[in-house]
Amino acid sequence: MWSQPFFQGFKNSQAPADPGNCQNLPITAHSVWNNTPYTQRLHATWLCTGGSVLIAPFQQVTDLGTGRRGLDAY
């Protein structure tokens, strides 16, 4: 994941999340590449609350619009 749209800014590699196990992200993600075989869900806020977006296995999203701060598995 990157701190800016279009894979720019600070990059952070994150291990995939397990279902029911929320991970607070160290950066606000604005673009992501899910290079795992697992669907991941990014949330608007820490503690995996707020609006969310699903990222399919191996999907790239160049601009999430609103930054994302929490990660769990779908």
Side-chain angles (χ1 to χ4, degrees):
M1 57 192 63
W2 289 262
S3 62
Q4 299 297 320
F6 302 98
F7 311 115
Q8 300 293 311
F10 183 75
K11 179 183 177 184
N12 178 67
S13 295
Q14 189 78 24
D18 295 322
N21 184 18
C22 178
Q23 296 179 19
N24 293 329
L25 300 176
I27 65 171
T28 301
H30 287 274
S31 54
V32 296
W33 175 19
N34 179 6
N35 63 353
T36 74
Y38 311 103
T39 299
Q40 299 290 290
R41 180 171 37 200
L42 290 167
H43 294 270
T45 64
W46 289 324
L47 304 176
C48 295
T49 60
S52 65
V53 61
L54 294 178
I55 310 298
F58 307 106
Q59 179 182 8
Q60 296 180 19
V61 180
T62 60
D63 190 352
L64 290 165
T66 303
R68 303 299 170 157
R69 295 296 313 210
L71 173 70
D72 71 357
Y74 180 73

